[in-house]
Amino acid sequence: PPLRPAAAAAASAAGIAASPHPLTEEPHEIFVRRYSAATRPWVGFHFDRSSLTMNVALSDDQGLEGGALLAIVGGEVVRCDRAEGTATLHASTLLHAVTRVQGPAARYSLILFYRQICPAAAHRLVECSVATMDLLYPPEEGSYSCDACGDSRRELEEQGCRSMWHCAAGCEYDLCGVCHDVGLADGVEYVSVR
């Protein structure tokens, strides 16, 4: 069933969109999540480590006891009832959870993460000049690219990119200035060093 009108309006204001959605990029991670009373009964409120998450219901919420997708929207808990095949797209900044599954049925979701941010939440990105990036990634060894848009060092240089955002913990996660500026890495602490 579709979202109730009030819930749909609140979800829209929080950046949640019901399918279909015209995504044109490849997800960086795809997996199926199973919730059941005997295995993984619930997940508490959390943020994802990707800029965008698509959650596709592989089972109908109507046939379950519990297992509801919840989101905090405008300071209120919103229940997102979904039919099998319904996709929910949300930003990583949306706090969300799944309620405890009770009874014999299981809840299945297909999860797709888009626009990866640094996979270690405790890491931070630092702004580095192109000269610094060349020291970190020597051109003769393959150089670097933006992990959000995929542009290579050469493409970024042609676009006038003067700096990159690099994971300070050394996990080799990098964003170009444009992707950083449009907020593809929401939720990561930024500092600037030259």
Side-chain angles (χ1 to χ4, degrees):
L3 292 174
R4 295 181 304 271
S12 176
I16 305 171
S19 64
H21 189 275
L23 288 174
T24 58
E25 59 193 73
E26 294 291 321
H28 69 84
E29 187 173 353
I30 303 172
F31 58 94
V32 173
R33 178 73 74 206
R34 179 180 190 262
Y35 294 91
S36 73
T39 59
R40 180 189 187 114
W42 62 281
V43 64
F45 281 98
H46 65 281
F47 298 107
D48 294 331
R49 292 191 185 140
S50 292
S51 290
L52 296 171
T53 299
M54 181 181 289
N55 181 325
V56 181
L58 299 180
S59 51
D60 197 313
D61 287 353
Q62 294 294 345
L64 293 175
E65 294 178 50
L69 177 63
L70 303 177
I72 303 291
V73 180
E76 306 270 331
V77 176
V78 175
R79 179 184 170 121
C80 304
D81 292 322
R82 302 173 313 144
E84 182 178 334
T86 301
T88 304
L89 181 69
H90 64 82
S92 65
T93 54
L94 180 73
L95 193 59
H96 58 287
V98 174
T99 63
R100 181 178 298 277
V101 173
Q102 301 172 356
R107 175 191 192 271
Y108 293 90
S109 292
L110 175 65
I111 308 296
L112 299 94
F113 288 145
Y114 294 86
R115 300 178 183 162
Q116 181 178 13
I117 60 176
C118 179
H123 292 184
R124 61 192 171 115
L125 298 181
V126 294
E127 187 176 15
C128 297
S129 67
V130 171
T132 301
M133 292 299 289
D134 284 342
L135 293 173
L136 294 169
Y137 302 95
E140 63 273 9
E141 293 179 18
S143 198
Y144 56 88
S145 63
C146 176
D147 288 310
C149 67
D151 286 352
S152 68
R153 182 201 187 286
R154 173 177 278 149
E155 292 167 319
L156 293 165
E157 185 177 29
E158 290 170 359
Q159 297 166 24
C161 180
R162 290 184 170 83
S163 65
M164 293 286 291
W165 289 84
H166 176 73
C167 179
C171 71
E172 297 189 3
Y173 183 76
D174 304 297
L175 288 179
C176 70
V178 172
C179 290
H180 170 267
D181 291 346
V182 297
L184 293 182
D186 272 351
V188 178
E189 176 187 345
Y190 299 109
V191 298
S192 180
V193 296
R194 294 267 178 192

PDB file of all heavy atoms in Angstrom, residues 23 41 123 154 180 188:
ATOM      1  N   LEU A  23      17.728   6.837 -11.344  1.00  0.00           N
ATOM      2  CA  LEU A  23      19.162   6.776 -11.026  1.00  0.00           C
ATOM      3  C   LEU A  23      19.924   6.338 -12.267  1.00  0.00           C
ATOM      4  O   LEU A  23      19.522   5.418 -12.963  1.00  0.00           O
ATOM      5  CB  LEU A  23      19.419   5.792  -9.896  1.00  0.00           C
ATOM      6  CG  LEU A  23      18.963   6.248  -8.516  1.00  0.00           C
ATOM      7  CD1 LEU A  23      19.151   5.131  -7.510  1.00  0.00           C
ATOM      8  CD2 LEU A  23      19.737   7.473  -8.081  1.00  0.00           C
ATOM      9  N   PRO A  41      16.279  -9.903  14.249  1.00  0.00           N
ATOM     10  CA  PRO A  41      14.886  -9.478  14.409  1.00  0.00           C
ATOM     11  C   PRO A  41      14.620  -7.997  14.134  1.00  0.00           C
ATOM     12  O   PRO A  41      13.490  -7.632  13.807  1.00  0.00           O
ATOM     13  CB  PRO A  41      14.572  -9.818  15.869  1.00  0.00           C
ATOM     14  CG  PRO A  41      15.881  -9.926  16.558  1.00  0.00           C
ATOM     15  CD  PRO A  41      16.892 -10.307  15.512  1.00  0.00           C
ATOM     16  N   HIS A 123      36.626   8.053  10.380  1.00  0.00           N
ATOM     17  CA  HIS A 123      37.620   8.734   9.548  1.00  0.00           C
ATOM     18  C   HIS A 123      37.122  10.114   9.157  1.00  0.00           C
ATOM     19  O   HIS A 123      35.940  10.410   9.225  1.00  0.00           O
ATOM     20  CB  HIS A 123      37.918   7.921   8.291  1.00  0.00           C
ATOM     21  CG  HIS A 123      38.618   6.637   8.574  1.00  0.00           C
ATOM     22  ND1 HIS A 123      39.037   5.806   7.580  1.00  0.00           N
ATOM     23  CD2 HIS A 123      38.972   6.035   9.738  1.00  0.00           C
ATOM     24  CE1 HIS A 123      39.621   4.744   8.114  1.00  0.00           C
ATOM     25  NE2 HIS A 123      39.588   4.867   9.419  1.00  0.00           N
ATOM     26  N   ARG A 154      43.285  13.161 -14.840  1.00  0.00           N
ATOM     27  CA  ARG A 154      43.362  13.931 -16.082  1.00  0.00           C
ATOM     28  C   ARG A 154      42.041  14.673 -16.347  1.00  0.00           C
ATOM     29  O   ARG A 154      42.048  15.861 -16.674  1.00  0.00           O
ATOM     30  CB  ARG A 154      43.695  13.019 -17.264  1.00  0.00           C
ATOM     31  CG  ARG A 154      43.612  13.764 -18.612  1.00  0.00           C
ATOM     32  CD  ARG A 154      44.009  12.913 -19.776  1.00  0.00           C
ATOM     33  NE  ARG A 154      45.469  12.941 -19.810  1.00  0.00           N
ATOM     34  CZ  ARG A 154      46.222  11.957 -20.243  1.00  0.00           C
ATOM     35  NH1 ARG A 154      45.670  10.859 -20.677  1.00  0.00           N
ATOM     36  NH2 ARG A 154      47.524  12.075 -20.254  1.00  0.00           N
ATOM     37  N   HIS A 180      32.509  17.053  -3.396  1.00  0.00           N
ATOM     38  CA  HIS A 180      32.499  17.454  -1.987  1.00  0.00           C
ATOM     39  C   HIS A 180      31.540  18.621  -1.776  1.00  0.00           C
ATOM     40  O   HIS A 180      30.716  18.610  -0.867  1.00  0.00           O
ATOM     41  CB  HIS A 180      33.907  17.839  -1.535  1.00  0.00           C
ATOM     42  CG  HIS A 180      33.926  18.474  -0.190  1.00  0.00           C
ATOM     43  ND1 HIS A 180      33.877  19.834  -0.020  1.00  0.00           N
ATOM     44  CD2 HIS A 180      33.944  17.927   1.042  1.00  0.00           C
ATOM     45  CE1 HIS A 180      33.874  20.108   1.264  1.00  0.00           C
ATOM     46  NE2 HIS A 180      33.925  18.971   1.930  1.00  0.00           N
ATOM     47  N   VAL A 188      30.435  13.254   7.045  1.00  0.00           N
ATOM     48  CA  VAL A 188      31.860  13.073   7.297  1.00  0.00           C
ATOM     49  C   VAL A 188      32.420  14.389   7.807  1.00  0.00           C
ATOM     50  O   VAL A 188      32.085  15.445   7.300  1.00  0.00           O
ATOM     51  CB  VAL A 188      32.590  12.638   6.015  1.00  0.00           C
ATOM     52  CG1 VAL A 188      34.091  12.506   6.258  1.00  0.00           C
ATOM     53  CG2 VAL A 188      32.029  11.324   5.503  1.00  0.00           C
TER      54      VAL A 188
END
